[in-house]
Amino acid sequence: MWKKVVIAAWALVKTADAAFGLSSKGNSWSVDTNAGLVFEVSKSTGDITSLLYNGVQYQGTSKMTHINSGLGTSKVSADVVNGYVRITVTANSQPVTQYFVAKPDDPTIYLATYITGEVDPGELRFLARLRRSAVPNGWHGDVANLDGCTAFEGKDTFKCPNGQTRCKMYTSDRFIDDRVHGVTGKNVGIWMIMPGVAYESSAGGPFMRDINSQSGDDQELYWYMNSGHVRTEPWRFGLMGPYAMKFTTGAQPSADLDTSFFANLSIQGYVPSSKRGTVSGTVSGIPSKFQAVVHWHNNASQYWTISGPDGKYTSPLMKPGTYTVKLYRNEFQVAQDSITIGVGTNTEKNVASAEPTPSVIWRIGDFDGQPFELKNGDRIERMHPEDVRMGTWGGAYTVGKSTAKEFPMALFAKQGGTATVTFNLSKDQAGVETTLRVGTTLSFKGGRPSVKIGNWQGKDPGAPKLIDSRGVTRGAYRGYGEVYTWKIPAGTLKEGSNTLELGVSGSGDAKFLSANYIIDAVELQGPKGPDSPAQ
């Protein structure tokens, strides 16, 4: 007890000298980092109500900074533990405990979010609402700059007078890539940092993406931990993070942020390095032009890494347990296994692609779980399909003459028409059974391929598993990744020219909200010929 009183007195005295420390300020706790950042946290709600950096106020005025849209009435306590300021917010009506931590001489708010169940309204995010005039520049430029634009699809997708489109989802990046993102202004950058294993209790895997910023009345800076947008797996619970919001004079900071001091702060759910293990090995069977991604997951945790040019990999520090192991060529799964991780050990595990390699007559695109090499695929993450900068949809492709950029990355039941593929077969190729294979990455409203070649009509495969969330119109391209195959009997195709018509089965709503799917690649399997791709 005497020690706690001394610590509290020290904190108040040091704060009075404008050095590092904690003080009580009316209905708020005030924290001075002694590095230019002073922030305040409400004693009743746990909202951050002030963000003063180098004498400039960055906190917005009408809405505060918090989890989701605020935790409401909460139990808020503050103390100094082993030289660090720790503020603990325990929500009264949500299964959430939020931590704010400050470190001496560091303009960073270290954060951790502990949950024991799903949080209303079905997503979990940290949201900083900042003064737009002070930090006008959002992530990925103007993709979520709403100035002068009008909502035309739902309440979150906007069209501007010049025909360009805007949406906060267009600021998203894959979890595997998104370790730092932020917003900037004159002599300032405010950054979310997700170091180390910050994503381990989130849901969605390495290729999940969600909102990073939005430039409206406020400048909104996000980190999504669990999302309802294009959701493909159940939520995980436990500790989200540690993560951080860092202030700089403009430069983007490193993602390599040391949070090991959390081990001494009595943070619920925190697992130190000493209680973890690793796995290492070699990946094989992935051509060098693709990333080889190794992904481990179970109901409690998820991790990932990218192998080096020599195929060797080492995992992050993982919680002990048994995990499913998946290997991806970019984002296309090619192997699956399992492994058990122990405390303080490194387990050896080589992972090889188990993908069959049939003979292929022709192929459009790559089976890599991404549509980027196809028409409009290089734009779909940052704009709506109706955007004036988009190319046409549908179209005609000729094998041996056209390029992948001439084949649409998505097809819609009520917009853009079908895609056709014209190809030539030799007598030997036409005289045997062939297999048509269509890979997709995401479906909407039950959209799936319809296929027809001459008088042959492929059987409707039925609607895929529903993801009840807009996808391609909000920049998403990854869902469950269904791959469809049809056997084409010998003699059905003809020697010489044939034409595949690829359309959409399903209905949905109008235009780009009609049933649709995103294309990964299309191939015809059979005896090799002059148009066969290199394996």
Side-chain angles (χ1 to χ4, degrees):
M1 177 69 180
W2 177 84
K3 184 178 180 181
K4 287 186 177 180
V5 171
V6 170
I7 289 174
W10 172 87
L12 292 174
V13 169
K14 298 297 283 185
T15 302
D17 292 338
F20 177 77
L22 168 71
S23 64
S24 178
K25 186 179 178 181
N27 189 43
S28 298
W29 291 108
S30 180
V31 181
D32 191 330
T33 64
N34 197 39
L37 174 64
V38 180
F39 65 95
E40 296 179 12
V41 176
S42 167
K43 292 179 181 178
S44 58
T45 65
D47 288 352
I48 294 177
T49 57
S50 177
L51 291 165
L52 194 67
Y53 179 60
N54 289 341
V56 178
Q57 179 60 253
Y58 290 97
Q59 174 58 51
T61 56
S62 60
K63 297 180 180 179
M64 298 298 107
T65 291
H66 37 220
I67 293 295
N68 288 355
S69 296
L71 294 175
T73 303
S74 303
K75 178 183 176 182
V76 182
S77 62
D79 52 9
V80 177
V81 182
N82 296 316
Y84 300 91
V85 172
R86 179 189 63 183
I87 298 176
T88 305
V89 181
T90 304
N92 288 354
S93 60
Q94 297 273 16
V96 180
T97 301
Q98 177 67 26
Y99 297 94
F100 302 104
V101 176
K103 178 181 177 182
D105 306 319
D106 184 350
T108 302
I109 304 174
Y110 292 84
L111 303 151
T113 307
Y114 181 77
I115 64 170
T116 57
E118 290 208 25
V119 180
D120 184 60
E123 61 184 15
L124 183 67
R125 66 189 184 184
F126 178 79
L127 170 55
R129 301 182 189 272
L130 308 168
R131 288 178 54 236
R132 176 80 185 281
S133 59
V135 276
N137 306 315
W139 192 240
H140 288 299
D142 286 338
V143 298
N145 182 341
L146 309 184
D147 293 347
C149 307
T150 303
F152 78 107
E153 183 184 294
K155 297 179 180 179
D156 55 20
T157 308
F158 294 75
K159 184 172 285 185
C160 308
N162 61 2
Q164 296 184 7
T165 51
R166 305 279 189 263
C167 181
K168 55 189 176 182
M169 277 74 169
Y170 301 156
T171 65
S172 65
D173 295 300
R174 306 185 309 168
F175 282 1
I176 196 171
D177 302 320
D178 189 10
R179 299 182 65 202
V180 181
H181 62 260
V183 296
T184 60
K186 184 179 181 181
N187 299 321
V188 69
I190 305 176
W191 308 91
M192 298 305 304
I193 305 177
M194 288 66 65
V197 293
Y199 289 102
E200 70 180 352
S201 298
S202 295
F207 313 122
M208 181 66 187
R209 301 163 55 231
D210 217 316
I211 306 162
N212 285 336
S213 74
Q214 178 172 251
S215 306
D217 294 336
D218 289 330
Q219 182 67 270
E220 298 174 349
L221 177 62
Y222 297 78
W223 182 47
Y224 264 80
M225 294 163 259
N226 278 327
S227 171
H229 303 140
V230 197
R231 179 175 174 176
T232 58
E233 66 174 355
W235 279 29
R236 294 181 176 88
F237 306 131
L239 187 70
M240 310 289 164
Y243 57 107
M245 183 167 66
K246 188 176 187 69
F247 287 69
T248 73
T249 55
Q252 180 171 325
S254 169
D256 297 325
L257 193 67
D258 180 16
T259 59
S260 60
F261 60 88
F262 269 60
N264 302 314
L265 298 179
S266 299
I267 303 294
Q268 291 184 82
Y270 182 80
V271 179
S273 298
S274 61
K275 301 296 184 181
R276 297 172 177 266
T278 58
V279 56
S280 61
T282 302
V283 164
S284 59
I286 305 293
S288 59
K289 73 174 185 175
F290 300 103
Q291 279 187 336
V293 178
V294 189
H295 173 205
W296 302 267
H297 65 93
N298 58 25
N299 290 339
S301 305
Q302 60 174 3
Y303 307 93
W304 45 76
T305 193
I306 300 171
S307 73
D310 57 358
K312 296 186 182 301
Y313 75 87
T314 299
S315 74
L317 286 164
M318 299 165 62
K319 295 177 185 177
T322 298
Y323 292 84
T324 297
V325 186
K326 292 179 179 177
L327 174 64
Y328 303 90
R329 179 176 60 241
N330 282 353
E331 299 185 28
F332 186 83
Q333 184 181 327
V334 295
Q336 181 169 316
D337 205 338
S338 64
I339 192 170
T340 299
I341 303 297
V343 173
T345 63
N346 179 70
T347 304
E348 292 288 331
K349 181 78 170 182
N350 295 331
V351 188
S353 172
E355 184 183 24
T357 56
S359 176
V360 175
I361 298 173
W362 54 260
R363 178 184 299 141
I364 303 170
D366 294 312
F367 283 91
D368 65 351
Q370 301 172 337
F372 303 145
E373 72 274 21
L374 304 178
K375 182 169 66 171
N376 293 325
D378 58 340
R379 303 173 188 177
I380 199 61
E381 291 179 286
R382 311 294 173 210
M383 62 187 77
H384 192 278
E386 197 170 309
D387 194 290
V388 68
R389 294 166 291 179
M390 283 287 188
T392 58
W393 295 95
Y397 182 97
T398 301
V399 173
K401 294 182 180 180
S402 301
T403 66
K405 286 293 184 187
E406 298 173 67
F407 193 82
M409 55 78 63
L411 289 172
F412 304 84
K414 301 177 183 178
Q415 186 73 26
T418 61
T420 62
V421 181
T422 299
F423 57 97
N424 289 310
L425 297 180
S426 67
K427 181 178 180 181
D428 290 343
Q429 290 171 324
V432 299
E433 181 184 75
T434 54
T435 299
L436 178 65
R437 184 182 185 216
V438 179
T440 68
T441 66
L442 178 62
S443 167
F444 179 70
K445 294 287 187 179
R448 67 275 188 192
S450 67
V451 295
K452 182 179 180 182
I453 303 176
N455 294 324
W456 174 82
Q457 178 78 52
K459 182 181 178 181
D460 183 350
K465 184 177 180 180
L466 178 67
I467 297 178
D468 190 17
S469 175
R470 281 176 289 150
V472 66
T473 62
R474 296 198 296 189
Y477 65 85
R478 181 176 174 81
Y480 292 115
E482 292 86 0
V483 177
Y484 302 91
T485 58
W486 294 265
K487 295 291 186 181
I488 303 175
T492 301
L493 304 182
K494 60 185 181 181
E495 181 181 0
S497 180
N498 296 263
T499 298
L500 163 68
E501 183 177 346
L502 188 62
V504 180
S505 292
S507 182
D509 299 322
K511 299 177 69 175
F512 292 107
L513 290 179
S514 62
N516 63 69
Y517 59 88
I518 295 176
I519 297 168
D520 185 10
V522 182
E523 69 179 16
L524 184 65
Q525 298 173 358
K528 288 186 177 181
D531 297 316
S532 296
Q535 294 289 352

